[in-house]
């Protein structure tokens, strides 16, 4: 018998409660508990039949090995860990307009070359999607095995998946589809969670790979909460800012590959274009020998990336000095400024400080600290950092330069791009030989590193 009741679900973490609450008892978020009407579980679960599985010895499990569907978009395949895994569910999040639908349509067109692909759009009409397909690839025929479906009812979508048996299905987006059995509206936590669970079950059962587009909330998380991240196999974020062409596809969870792997794209007039040499692209507009610029070598997953950090200081006009961080963590900027004033003796208390990572890139790695400090000092002293010098190192609270992971890979990338010298932490305890093609200048402290970078010898 179907009976409905009201429950309260946290939109941040998915915690459920029977009574309304101002604050989530699990994650502590305020005003996050939303009322939802849920039908008794028995009805919602109707379609997942209960079967009793036999237990198995692990050695008896039939191995599928590394079976992956070939995806000719290399940067995308790299983030997935080498290609699309049949039967897996991948969630792609990102700000509106960042290019999720474009990238997935490109993928759909590629994968439909040798198998059926179903693109379910609950947001755009098939005509709009056709226009986009023409725009992305005006020269080639649209593959006949690419199917479109404009539908929001998930039961119907899954019915189409069962009859069409696509190797790849794309649901754009998970927040716009709904299960009619569940009373709460599309996009609610219960809907999103149940929908994802049913799609996950269908993917496993049918072997189709399923890609879900997830909208992102103001806070930057995929809406329809963390629980979604637990259900799916892989979570990717497409990042970048709308005023720059570069887009980074980052994996934050991957059951079938390394996390924090990054693919770099550029939004062009003809869809998302792969960037083969990202370091070169990020340094393309650099003005050499200009004060306030320093080159850092960061790691994005397993890939080293050279980025330009710009610093600008100018005298504060109203009492309280301003600090602005673009592309690096604000608190790390404050820390670096504090170390510069206390340990290096740079006077910044009456200076506004602006720091920017060029290209709209966001770097969360402390290895960029030294370049940030050098860019600021270079601006204050109006002395440029030499054009052939790169800087690597985390800055500690006592002004010491701390070592960073994967130094050899970083050094090789810097050498490849024509840098001849690089400042590294002296404490770098090395398990690998450092590459010979670039000169390393070890420094124990931030002060020593800045002396190398900014004092003419
Ligand atoms: P879209 O893929 O619709 O973003 P999302 O699905 O993440 O919301 O991308 C939309 C933006 O991309 C839009 O502002 C237009 C731009 N765009 C291009 O610059 N070039 C192209 O070839 C296409 C298809 C879109
Ligand atoms: Mg879209």
């Amino acid at each position: 018998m179907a009976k409905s009741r009201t429950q309260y679900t946290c939109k941040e973490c998915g915690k459920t409660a029977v009574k309304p609450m101002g604050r989530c008892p699990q994650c502590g978020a305020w005003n996050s508990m939303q009322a939802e009407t849920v039908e008794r579980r028995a009805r919602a679960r109707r379609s997942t039949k209960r079967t009793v599985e036999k237990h198995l010895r692990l050695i008896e499990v039939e191995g599928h090995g590394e079976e992956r569907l070939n995806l000719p978009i290399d940067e995308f395949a790299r983030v997935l860990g080498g290609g699309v895994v049949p039967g897996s569910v991948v969630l792609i999040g990102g700000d509106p307009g960042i290019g999720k639908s474009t990238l997935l349509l490109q993928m759909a067109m590629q994968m439909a070359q040798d198998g059926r692909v179903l693109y379910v759009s609950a947001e755009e009409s098939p005509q709009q999607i056709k226009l986009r397909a023409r725009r992305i690839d005006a020269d080639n025929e649209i593959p006949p095995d690419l199917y479109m479906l404009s539908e929001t009812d998930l039961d119907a979508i899954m019915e189409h998946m069962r009859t069409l048996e696509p190797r790849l299905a794309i649901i754009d987006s998970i927040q716009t589809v709904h299960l009619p059995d569940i009373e709460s509206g599309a996009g609610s936590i219960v809907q999103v969670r149940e929908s994802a669970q049913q799609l996950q079950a269908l993917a496993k059962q049918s072997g189709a790979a399923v890609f879900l587009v997830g909208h992102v909330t103001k806070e930057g998380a995929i809406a329809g909460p963390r629980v979604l991240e637990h259900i799916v196999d892989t979570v990717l974020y497409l990042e970048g800012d709308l005023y720059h062409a570069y887009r980074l596809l980052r994996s934050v969870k991957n059951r079938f590959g390394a996390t924090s792997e990054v693919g770099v794209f550029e939004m062009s007039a003809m869809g998302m274009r792969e960037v083969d040499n990202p370091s070169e692209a990020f340094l393309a507009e650099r003005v050499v020998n200009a004060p306030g610029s320093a080159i850092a070598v960061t790691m994005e997953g397993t890939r080293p990336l050279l980025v330009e950090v710009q610093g600008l200081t100018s005298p504060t006009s109203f009492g309280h000095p301003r600090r602005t961080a673009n592309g690096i963590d604000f608190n790390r900027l404050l820390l670096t400024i504090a170390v510069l004033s206390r340990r290096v003796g740079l006077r910044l208390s009456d200076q506004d400080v602006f720091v920017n990572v060029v290209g709209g890139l966001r770097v969360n790695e402390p290895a960029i600290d030294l370049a940030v400090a050098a860019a600021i000092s270079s601006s204050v002293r109006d002395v440029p950092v030499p054009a052939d010098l790169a800087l690597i190192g985390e800055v500690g609270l006592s002004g010491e330069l701390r070592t960073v992971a994967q130094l050899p890979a970083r050094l090789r990338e810097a050498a490849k791009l024509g840098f001849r010298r690089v400042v590294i932490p002296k404490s770098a305890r090395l398990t690998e030989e450092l590459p010979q093609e670039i000169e390393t200048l070890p420094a124990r402290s931030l002060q020593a590193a800045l002396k190398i970078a900014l004092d003419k010898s």
Side-chain angles (χ1 to χ4, degrees):
M1 194 182 70
K3 219 168 84 183
S4 66
R5 65 189 165 87
T6 302
Q7 75 173 20
Y8 299 84
T9 309
C10 174
K11 66 176 192 294
E12 302 295 335
C13 70
K15 168 87 183 160
T16 54
V18 290
K19 280 191 292 196
M21 269 183 260
R23 186 179 192 197
C24 172
Q26 181 165 290
C27 70
W30 290 98
N31 296 326
S32 66
M33 305 293 283
Q34 290 178 340
E36 310 220 70
T37 311
V38 281
E39 300 267 323
R40 298 299 305 179
R41 278 314 184 98
R43 225 186 125 192
R45 285 254 173 98
R46 191 184 49 185
S47 54
T48 41
K49 249 192 282 120
R50 186 182 164 86
T51 50
V52 180
E53 294 271 352
K54 197 169 138 261
H55 51 254
L56 286 177
R57 290 175 205 272
L58 186 55
I59 52 165
E60 289 169 358
V61 176
E62 307 224 349
H64 291 288
E66 271 288 277
E67 190 188 300
R68 286 179 194 255
L69 304 177
N70 180 33
L71 174 60
I73 307 173
D74 290 342
E75 292 289 308
F76 202 160
R78 154 193 202 103
V79 178
L80 290 170
V84 180
V85 177
S88 68
V89 179
V90 179
L91 175 67
I92 298 196
D95 291 334
I98 205 74
K100 301 180 293 297
S101 304
T102 306
L103 185 61
L104 288 177
L105 182 61
Q106 279 175 254
M107 173 190 191
M109 292 209 288
Q110 291 284 355
M111 304 259 312
Q113 307 280 355
D114 36 29
R116 278 191 293 276
V117 172
L118 177 64
Y119 190 114
V120 182
S121 181
E123 301 191 338
E124 290 158 301
S125 67
Q127 288 75 18
Q128 278 174 307
I129 295 170
K130 175 129 192 209
L131 276 178
R132 182 179 291 144
R134 289 261 68 110
R135 187 171 166 187
I136 292 169
D137 189 353
D139 303 334
N140 296 312
E141 292 288 307
I142 294 175
D145 272 342
L146 177 52
Y147 292 83
M148 287 290 138
L149 179 62
S150 191
E151 177 65 81
T152 57
D153 179 337
L154 191 67
D155 280 339
I157 293 170
M158 291 199 298
E159 207 41 57
H160 282 280
M161 283 174 66
R162 284 189 199 96
T163 46
L164 189 67
E165 296 185 335
R167 66 209 290 249
L168 169 69
I170 293 165
I171 315 284
D172 191 356
S173 67
I174 186 71
Q175 278 93 6
T176 45
V177 298
H178 72 282
L179 284 158
D181 276 352
I182 298 175
E183 262 181 22
S184 54
S188 70
I189 303 104
V190 180
Q191 278 288 359
V192 166
R193 184 177 48 208
E194 280 300 325
S195 302
Q197 259 160 5
Q198 298 215 6
L199 283 166
Q200 170 76 284
L202 182 59
K204 291 280 165 302
Q205 193 186 29
S206 68
V210 177
F211 278 66
L212 309 174
V213 172
H215 286 301
V216 159
T217 59
K218 284 196 295 293
E219 294 78 28
I222 294 175
R226 300 307 296 264
V227 284
L228 202 50
E229 301 195 0
H230 294 300
I231 298 168
V232 301
D233 299 302
T234 302
V235 180
L236 309 178
Y237 277 91
L238 189 60
E239 311 173 341
D241 70 59
L242 295 175
Y243 307 102
H244 288 94
Y246 294 116
R247 302 283 183 269
L248 264 69
L249 185 65
R250 209 184 277 277
S251 84
V252 296
K253 166 183 173 177
N254 195 351
R255 286 195 181 135
F256 310 107
T259 48
S260 72
E261 204 56 83
V262 167
V264 185
F265 296 89
E266 192 178 1
M267 182 56 103
S268 73
M270 286 162 60
M272 299 268 275
R273 195 177 298 152
E274 296 181 72
V275 176
D276 299 328
N277 195 336
S279 294
E280 213 169 272
F282 285 117
L283 298 187
E285 290 174 43
R286 175 179 172 223
V287 181
V288 296
N289 290 327
S293 159
I295 305 299
V297 191
T298 72
M299 291 301 291
E300 295 293 341
T302 56
R303 167 192 275 179
L305 199 58
L306 270 80
V307 293
E308 180 185 359
V309 182
Q310 295 180 329
L312 179 67
T313 53
S314 79
T316 304
S317 30
F318 306 102
H320 199 67
R322 286 182 57 191
R323 277 84 177 87
T324 309
N326 247 322
I328 61 164
D329 182 50
F330 182 68
N331 289 321
R332 278 215 83 82
L333 173 63
L334 295 186
L335 186 148
T336 307
I337 289 174
V339 175
L340 278 171
S341 348
R342 290 295 308 277
R343 310 286 176 210
V344 184
L346 202 66
R347 194 183 155 130
L348 291 168
S349 56
D350 54 359
Q351 298 280 324
D352 291 341
V353 177
F354 306 89
V355 170
N356 179 37
V357 177
V358 175
L361 197 72
R362 215 191 137 71
V363 179
N364 292 320
E365 210 207 7
I368 198 173
D369 290 354
L370 177 56
V372 171
I376 296 170
S377 314
S378 162
S379 171
V380 172
R381 294 175 45 187
D382 209 26
V383 174
V385 177
D388 66 348
L389 182 77
L391 300 135
I392 303 172
E394 174 180 350
V395 172
L397 289 185
S398 347
E400 80 277 20
L401 209 55
R402 307 182 73 100
T403 192
V404 301
Q406 308 183 64
L407 201 51
R410 296 178 202 251
L411 295 178
R412 273 191 294 273
E413 178 76 3
K416 207 168 87 192
L417 283 160
F419 286 83
R420 286 211 299 270
R421 300 176 294 153
V422 52
V423 181
I424 60 166
K426 194 162 204 163
S427 58
R429 262 187 284 280
L430 301 167
T431 48
E432 261 183 277
E433 283 284 296
L434 289 186
Q436 293 299 309
E437 59 264 37
I438 190 161
E439 185 188 352
T440 51
L441 308 166
R444 203 181 293 281
S445 66
L446 176 59
Q447 189 157 23
L450 292 178
K451 209 169 158 56
I452 298 172
L454 297 172
D455 288 353
K456 296 248 158 43
S457 51

